[in-house]
Amino acid sequence: MENNRQNAADIEREIPVSEPERQYYFIERARNDLKKMEEAAGRQLSFCVTTFGCQMNARDSEKLVGILEQIGYIEEPEEEKADLVIYNTCTVRENANQRVYGRLGQLGRIKKKNPHMMIALCGCMMQEPEVVEKLKKSYRFIDLIFGTHNIYKFAELLATRMESGHMVIDIWKDTDKIVEDLPSERKYSFKSGVNIMFGCNNFCSYCIVPYVRGRERSRDPRAVIREIERLVADGVTEVMLLGQNVNSYGKTLDKPMTFAQLLREIEKIEGLERIRFMTSHPKDLSDELIEVMGQSEKICKHLHLPVQSGSTRILEKMNRRYTKEHYLELVRKIRKAVPDISLTTDIIVGFPGETEEDFQETLDVVRQVQYDSAFTFIYSKRTGTPAAAMADQVPEDVVKNRFNRLLAEVQEISVKKCSVYEGSVQTVLVETKNEHDDSFMTGRMSNNLLVHFPGDESLTGKYVDVSLDECRGFYYIGKIVKG
Ligand code: SAH
Ligand code: SF4
Ligand code: F3S
C-alpha cells in the first residue's frame, strides 16, 4: 500500500476543507458506515472494480482499490459475487459504451437478489451528459455516478451514498486541480503506472478524450519523482509514465520543463531499472527526446508512436498537425539513435472522406516503417467531435474491407519482426504465471515482447536471462539460461 497514512481521524471533528486530508477523513467515515452495513449483513462485504479503456483508467482503478481497501472492503474477483461493483468506463469508441450497457443489464438482475449490493459507475463515459441522462432514466438501480475530474473524491461520494441511501451523482465539467498523496493499491508489486499529466489539448477531430478528460495539466516534477522514489522503495523496478501526450509534458507548469528533462531526472533514481512511457504524439516528439532515448540506460527500447493515417490529406482533416513525410523522418531519426528499438502504432481506418488512395498511403507507411505491432481501429463516430459532423462518412463494407487488408499486412510484418530475435538471449522482467500452463512463467523484454518459459512464481518481479528458442508469431517460448 502506498501512502498508507494511519489516520485515526475522529469523525466527530470538523470536516477538513483541504485535500487530501478531507478524503482521509471520509475514508474513516466510510469505514464506520461499512462496519454498520457488515453488522446488518452478518458478513464482510466485498468489492470488484472492472476497468475498461486505457492505462490511465487502469491507474485510476488502482486508486479506487486503494481507497476501498482502506475503507475495509475485501476484494472479490468475481463481479457477480461482489457487494460493491464499480465500472470504470471508456468512451473512446462506440463499442466500449455498448459493452457497459450490456453488462449493466445483467448486474441489475443480480442486484435484485443481493440486498447489500451497490453499483457505481465512473470514468470517461460519465463525462457525457447524454450517458448520465440515460442511466438516470433507464438504470435506476445504480447507486453512485461520478466522473474523471473528481475521482479523488471517491471516499466522500461513497460515504454520502452509504449515509443517504439515495443515488448520488457528481460530475464536474473540468478541473485544474491535481490532488496528490491519496492511497492506491498496485496490481503488480514490481511495476507501476505513474501519471505525469492529465487531460489533452490536441483535439484530434475524431477523438472524444479532450472532452471527457479536460484540459492538459502536468504534475509537478517533484511530485512525480517523489512518487517513483516511494514506489522503488516498495519494490517497483519498472514504471510506465502515463499521459495522452507525454511529449508535451511540462508546458503548463509554473516553471516549464520538457519531457526529456523529466526523463533525465527519473533516470537518476537509484533502484529503478526500466522506464516506459505512453503515449507519444508525433507532432511533439523532439530531437532532445530522441537524444535522451539514445543515451539512456533505463528507457526501454520501445516507442509507441500513433500514426493514425498515412495520408497527409487525412492527417490534416484529423487535426494531427504532422505530414506523412514528417512522420517517416521521425522514424528515421529514432531508428538512427536507437537502432534496435521496437516501434508500435495506432491506425484508424475509415475516417470521413478516406479514399482508396488515402488508404494506400497508410499501407505505404506500414510497409516503410515495419511496425513491430499496430493497433488497428475502425473509425467510430463520437457525438460532439468535429469529425462526426463531416460529410463523406465511409460506407461500412468499404471500411471493413480496408480494415481486413490492413490487419493482414500489419500481422504479416509483426510476425516477421518478432522472429528476428530467435536464438538470442534477452533479459526479461518476470511478470506472471502463464495463463494456459502453470509450469510456465511470462516475462517481458525491454522491447515489450513477451516470452513464456518454464519457471515458478518465486521468479515474479525478477530479471532473468532467457534464451528465445522458438518464435510463435507474436511471442516466444524460451528457457532461463544460468548466469
Ligand atoms: N493520446 C493517444 C491516443 C488515445 S486514444 C494519442 O494521441 O495517440 C487511443 C487510440 O484510439 C488512438 O490512438 C486512436 O487510434 C483510437 N481512437 C481514438 N478515437 C477514435 C475514434 N473515434 N474511432 C476509432 N478509433 C479512435
Ligand atoms: Fe485523442 Fe488526439 Fe488527444 Fe490522443 S492526442 S487523446 S488522439 S485528442
Ligand atoms: Fe477510454 Fe478515457 Fe482512456 S475514453 S481510452 S478510458 S482516456
Side-chain angles (χ1 to χ4, degrees):
M1 172 80 51
E2 298 151 42
N3 312 326
N4 191 350
R5 292 189 181 198
Q6 258 326 324
N7 194 340
D10 172 9
I11 58 166
E12 299 301 319
R13 73 192 159 95
E14 232 176 274
I15 302 175
V17 220
S18 62
E19 300 291 3
E21 292 74 17
R22 187 179 172 91
Q23 296 315 310
Y24 281 94
Y25 164 88
F26 277 105
I27 287 174
E28 227 28 62
R29 201 154 140 172
R31 186 199 288 270
N32 270 6
D33 299 330
L34 179 68
K35 273 199 195 115
K36 284 184 208 142
M37 287 163 60
E38 291 186 332
E39 273 163 26
R43 60 184 170 86
Q44 272 201 300
L45 295 182
S46 61
F47 74 90
C48 177
V49 178
T50 302
T51 312
F52 301 83
C54 66
Q55 306 227 16
M56 308 270 174
N57 259 20
R59 182 68 183 137
D60 281 349
S61 289
E62 293 185 341
K63 294 173 188 170
L64 297 175
V65 172
I67 291 170
L68 287 167
E69 295 202 335
Q70 291 225 336
I71 289 173
Y73 274 102
I74 49 170
E75 188 156 15
E76 165 58 61
E78 284 178 61
E79 199 172 283
E80 302 77 39
K81 293 187 188 155
D83 300 293
L84 170 59
V85 174
I86 303 181
Y87 282 177
N88 191 4
T89 63
C90 168
T91 187
V92 78
R93 286 170 292 274
E94 182 60 27
N95 55 7
N97 298 41
Q98 290 315 328
R99 272 174 47 220
V100 168
Y101 288 126
R103 288 176 68 160
L104 265 183
Q106 216 174 330
L107 269 194
R109 285 187 286 280
I110 297 169
K111 188 174 177 183
K112 282 203 183 114
K113 293 186 212 136
N114 178 0
H116 304 286
M117 186 169 178
M118 288 204 285
I119 299 172
L121 291 179
C122 62
C124 297
M125 231 177 121
M126 301 306 121
Q127 292 297 138
E128 293 181 280
E130 319 82 72
V131 170
V132 176
E133 277 314 305
K134 179 167 171 167
L135 294 172
K136 270 200 313 210
K137 220 169 96 203
S138 313
Y139 297 83
R140 294 291 312 160
F141 56 82
I142 295 167
D143 296 278
L144 172 58
I145 298 177
F146 55 103
T148 55
H149 304 304
N150 56 349
I151 189 161
Y152 74 87
K153 266 182 75 183
F154 173 53
E156 181 169 350
L157 296 169
L158 186 64
T160 310
R161 167 63 189 81
M162 286 167 155
E163 290 164 25
S164 73
H166 299 298
M167 188 184 208
V168 171
I169 301 181
D170 190 15
I171 312 282
W172 298 359
K173 279 211 159 56
D174 203 351
T175 185
D176 52 10
K177 209 168 168 159
I178 296 177
V179 177
E180 300 284 354
D181 296 334
L182 279 165
S184 104
E185 184 66 39
R186 293 193 307 277
K187 189 167 168 206
Y188 300 96
S189 59
F190 51 88
K191 67 170 186 176
S192 180
V194 174
N195 298 107
I196 61 167
M197 59 203 299
F198 301 94
C200 181
N201 283 355
N202 290 312
F203 290 95
C204 301
S205 64
Y206 51 81
C207 184
I208 200 158
V209 171
Y211 305 90
V212 296
R213 285 276 172 174
R215 292 295 58 74
E216 182 179 299
R217 44 216 191 274
S218 295
R219 273 177 82 189
D220 186 317
R222 283 164 303 190
V224 173
I225 304 279
R226 194 174 61 214
E227 179 177 348
I228 300 176
E229 282 171 348
R230 281 189 193 148
L231 287 167
V232 169
D234 197 34
V236 166
T237 60
E238 177 180 305
V239 291
M240 167 76 90
L241 309 175
L242 298 171
Q244 291 300 350
N245 177 10
V246 290
N247 298 339
S248 75
Y249 172 82
K251 289 189 179 152
T252 54
L253 290 170
D254 292 339
K255 262 176 66 192
M257 86 187 278
T258 62
F259 179 52
Q261 285 168 332
L262 178 71
L263 281 171
R264 282 209 172 95
E265 292 307 310
I266 295 175
E267 175 105 16
K268 291 181 197 152
I269 299 175
E270 235 169 274
L272 183 68
E273 303 278 345
R274 282 181 172 183
I275 305 169
R276 298 182 186 277
F277 51 83
M278 74 184 313
T279 303
S280 281
H281 193 306
K283 81 175 164 65
D284 297 311
L285 187 95
S286 65
D287 290 345
E288 187 195 12
L289 176 61
I290 294 175
E291 190 190 322
V292 169
M293 289 181 75
Q295 293 165 347
S296 169
E297 303 272 308
K298 297 184 179 176
I299 299 174
C300 288
K301 296 195 183 307
H302 173 214
L303 180 66
H304 186 63
L305 195 62
V307 67
Q308 313 298 2
S309 168
S311 155
T312 296
R313 195 181 74 85
I314 293 293
L315 286 170
E316 199 178 332
K317 287 179 70 177
M318 286 177 160
N319 192 30
R320 289 291 287 181
R321 286 174 273 173
Y322 53 85
T323 61
K324 176 187 182 186
E325 289 68 35
H326 176 196
Y327 185 90
L328 290 173
E329 174 64 13
L330 281 178
V331 169
R332 199 190 55 74
K333 279 198 222 163
I334 188 87
R335 282 240 164 89
K336 189 163 170 230
V338 192
D340 45 353
I341 197 162
S342 152
L343 283 175
T344 59
T345 201
D346 293 347
I347 302 170
I348 297 176
V349 182
F351 183 84
E354 184 189 73
T355 62
E356 179 61 26
E357 290 69 48
D358 294 317
F359 177 66
Q360 288 299 332
E361 297 276 2
T362 300
L363 283 181
D364 184 48
V365 168
V366 165
R367 288 179 194 133
Q368 286 202 46
V369 177
Q370 298 278 303
Y371 291 109
D372 291 76
S373 84
F375 296 96
T376 48
F377 303 108
I378 287 184
Y379 167 73
S380 172
K381 195 169 166 175
R382 309 312 290 132
T383 311
T385 62
M390 285 180 191
D392 311 331
Q393 303 280 328
V394 185
E396 209 178 300
D397 53 333
V398 176
V399 181
K400 284 242 167 76
N401 174 282
R402 284 181 198 160
F403 182 81
N404 291 338
R405 282 189 282 156
L406 175 67
L407 196 64
E409 189 80 37
V410 155
Q411 288 187 341
E412 194 187 314
I413 295 170
S414 291
V415 170
K416 200 174 74 197
K417 292 285 285 189
C418 178
S419 69
V420 303
Y421 301 98
E422 203 165 80
S424 70
V425 172
Q426 302 281 340
T427 304
V428 301
L429 171 56
V430 186
E431 294 195 340
T432 47
K433 200 153 71 175
N434 188 277
E435 275 175 34
H436 306 291
D437 185 340
D438 260 11
S439 63
F440 274 66
M441 295 298 290
T442 299
R444 193 179 296 271
M445 290 159 50
S446 170
N447 70 6
N448 218 32
L449 277 177
L450 295 180
V451 191
H452 308 291
F453 55 91
D456 62 62
E457 272 184 294
S458 66
L459 295 169
T460 307
K462 299 208 167 92
Y463 290 85
V464 294
D465 288 341
V466 177
S467 65
L468 306 182
D469 299 336
E470 188 193 341
C471 178
R472 294 247 183 108
F474 306 108
Y475 61 89
Y476 275 98
I477 300 292
K479 58 178 169 314
I480 296 184
V481 293
K482 297 280 170 258

